[in-house]
């Protein structure tokens, strides 16, 4: 295990358990090895096995909570991690796990509070500082968000999500050149780490910044790179459609918007599709823009009606499906958390 051979470690721990199914250390080791391999369902089972022998093991309790969160079971994860905090009030991993759950469910105030608790125990913890920065941004506390991100970068200049957040804040202040530079730094580090999701986020930011500067060819090039990594990402497709429409490519804009509509959530449709297009058309009634906006608004109405029908049906399964579909990728965890509450 210490050498990074998690497959070998899992096999060895399983062999020990085959000989003695009450071997607590083997059950513990097997659970952690499986977790390290990304075999989350099996890891959760073996965490429960280990905890059945030692219910007050704080490390296993924290690991179980983290695995439950990774599986998307946020309600169970929150209960498990809260139990770990009662055992060890200053457990940084448990506090950060709870902070991520709070952030994913849009409870930015609680996320910030938990990150600050980690900072009391460990002021040099960059992970909590970056999450704190995003939580402060969610609370529209931009100065505090920037301060947290900059503090994290002082400790580790290669933190891509900190640079990406600063890029977003720079764009909000109309400092588009600065936004491009910061997003470029983030992209370089995401590529070095092989973080596909991070690369897409950085390329989306770069594409949007180029669009704001009126550099539509550069915007389309960034969007194309993002779509190579994730061909169905609606926010990027909406960006591409708007960029092409502004550049006078009506047919290209229509194709991009139609692709976006095939994959969009209600949130992405409203925020990245309708709001951005409407703001542009209010300034400049571009050819083809009104027709596209009408189509987007029609889809918005259909999704809103589907959400309402699911709620009125009283069918928890139907509402689960509606919540997940309407939430999109970015809101999936929070939506699943809501769905779990419905089933309770």
């Amino acid at each position: 295990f210490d050498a990074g051979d998690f497959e070998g470690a899992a096999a060895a721990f399983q062999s020990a358990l085959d000989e003695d199914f009450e071997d607590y250390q083997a059950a513990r080791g097997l659970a952690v090895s499986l977790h390290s391999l990304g075999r989350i369902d099996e890891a959760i089972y073996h965490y429960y096995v280990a905890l059945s022998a030692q219910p007050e093991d704080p490390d296993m309790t924290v690991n179980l909570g983290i695995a439950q969160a990774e599986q998307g079971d946020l309600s169970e994860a929150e209960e498990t991690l809260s139990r770990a905090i009662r055992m060890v009030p200053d457990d940084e991993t448990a506090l950060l796990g709870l902070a991520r759950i709070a952030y994913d469910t849009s409870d930015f105030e609680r996320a910030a509070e938990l990150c600050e608790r980690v900072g009391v125990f460990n002021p040099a913890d960059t992970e909590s500082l970056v999450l704190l920065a995003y939580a402060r941004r969610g609370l529209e506390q931009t100065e505090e968000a920037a301060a947290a991100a900059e503090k994290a970068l002082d400790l580790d200049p290669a933190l891509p999500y900190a640079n990406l957040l600063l890029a977003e804040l720079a764009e909000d202040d109309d400092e588009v050149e600065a936004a491009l530079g910061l997003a470029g730094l983030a992209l370089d580090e995401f590529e070095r780490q092989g973080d596909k999701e991070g690369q897409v986020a950085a390329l989306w930011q770069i594409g949007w910044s180029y669009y704001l500067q009126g550099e539509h060819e550069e915007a389309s090039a960034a969007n194309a790179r993002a779509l190579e990594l994730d061909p169905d990402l609606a926010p990027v497709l909406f960006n591409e459609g708007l960029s092409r429409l502004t550049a006078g490519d009506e047919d290209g804009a229509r194709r991009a918007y139609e692709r976006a509509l095939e994959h969009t959530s209600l949130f992405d449709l409203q925020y990245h599709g309708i709001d951005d297009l409407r703001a542009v058309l209010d300034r400049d009634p571009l050819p083809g823009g009104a027709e596209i906006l009408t189509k987007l608004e029609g889809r918005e109405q259909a999704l809103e009606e589907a959400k309402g029908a699911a709620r009125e049906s009283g069918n928890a399964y139907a509402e689960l499906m509606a919540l997940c579909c309407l939430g999109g990728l970015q809101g999936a965890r929070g939506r699943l958390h809501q769905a779990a509450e419905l089933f309770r």
Side-chain angles (χ1 to χ4, degrees):
F1 183 91
D2 290 341
D5 180 6
F6 304 126
E7 287 281 5
F13 287 127
Q14 183 63 67
S15 178
L17 276 174
D18 290 343
E19 293 183 13
D20 180 3
F21 70 91
E22 293 183 342
D23 186 336
Y24 169 68
Q25 293 300 331
R28 202 173 188 271
L30 178 57
V32 176
S33 298
L34 292 168
H35 197 168
S36 300
L37 289 166
R39 292 158 60 178
I40 304 300
D41 288 346
E42 296 170 80
I44 288 174
Y45 170 77
H46 286 285
Y47 282 134
Y48 277 121
V49 170
L51 285 167
S52 67
Q54 296 281 349
E56 299 302 311
D57 183 329
D59 291 338
M60 288 295 97
T61 304
V62 170
N63 287 352
L64 172 61
I66 297 300
Q68 289 169 329
E70 290 171 357
Q71 193 184 46
D73 192 347
L74 299 189
S75 295
E76 290 295 330
E78 188 170 12
E79 286 183 21
T80 302
L81 292 170
S82 296
R83 188 166 70 250
I85 292 297
R86 289 193 292 273
M87 297 179 200
V88 184
D90 60 350
D91 190 296
E92 294 174 24
T93 305
L95 288 169
L96 263 176
L98 287 170
R100 288 193 201 93
I101 292 170
Y103 183 85
D104 286 343
T105 53
S106 300
D107 188 350
F108 303 125
E109 192 73 55
R110 177 158 168 74
E113 174 197 335
L114 289 162
C115 288
E116 287 176 338
R117 281 181 63 184
V118 175
V120 171
F121 304 123
N122 185 0
D125 184 82
T126 56
E127 193 173 351
S128 63
L129 282 168
V130 173
L131 185 55
L132 174 61
Y134 277 89
R136 290 296 180 201
R137 171 161 182 149
L139 293 167
E140 299 184 357
Q141 298 170 350
T142 54
E143 290 184 9
E144 293 87 343
E150 287 165 357
K151 184 176 179 181
L153 287 166
D154 286 342
L155 294 164
D156 182 355
L159 293 169
Y161 279 105
N163 275 318
L164 190 57
L165 177 64
L166 290 176
E168 295 171 9
L169 294 173
E171 180 207 294
D172 290 346
D173 290 336
D174 296 324
E175 298 175 5
V176 181
E177 281 294 340
L180 278 169
L182 290 161
L185 289 174
L187 178 59
D188 289 344
E189 185 60 23
F190 284 132
E191 288 176 338
R192 190 189 70 77
Q193 295 177 2
D195 184 337
K196 178 180 171 181
E197 185 177 345
Q199 290 175 59
V200 170
L203 286 165
W204 182 93
Q205 179 63 50
I206 290 168
W208 183 246
S209 294
Y210 275 130
Y211 166 77
L212 293 174
Q213 285 190 319
E215 299 179 50
H216 301 298
E217 288 187 12
E218 290 82 354
S220 287
N223 292 336
R225 288 181 64 191
L227 292 169
E228 284 176 9
L229 295 166
D230 189 344
D232 302 328
L233 195 60
V236 177
L237 288 165
F238 283 131
N239 265 13
E240 177 67 3
L242 191 58
S243 183
R244 288 187 177 276
L245 188 67
T246 307
D249 181 2
E250 189 178 336
D251 289 338
R254 188 177 293 107
R255 286 193 298 271
Y257 276 110
E258 286 173 354
R259 279 186 62 197
L261 285 177
E262 293 175 6
H263 305 287
T264 189
S265 68
L266 179 58
F267 172 83
D268 287 338
L269 172 61
Q270 292 171 330
Y271 184 73
H272 297 291
I274 293 173
D275 288 355
D276 288 345
L277 178 56
R278 188 178 286 148
V280 168
L281 295 179
D282 285 344
R283 297 192 304 270
D284 184 1
L286 298 167
E291 177 190 343
I292 292 172
L293 181 60
T294 298
K295 185 172 288 188
L296 299 187
E297 289 171 338
R299 177 60 59 86
E300 177 189 29
Q301 182 179 352
L303 289 174
E304 289 281 17
E305 289 174 356
K307 181 170 73 171
R311 285 181 175 168
E312 289 173 9
S313 72
N315 184 323
Y317 182 77
E319 191 165 351
L320 164 63
M321 294 299 101
L323 285 168
C324 290
C325 293
L326 295 165
L329 293 175
Q330 292 181 352
R333 288 182 179 176
R335 297 299 186 176
L336 286 168
H337 180 70
Q338 293 178 39
E341 293 306 315
L342 286 172
F343 280 107
R344 284 181 185 277

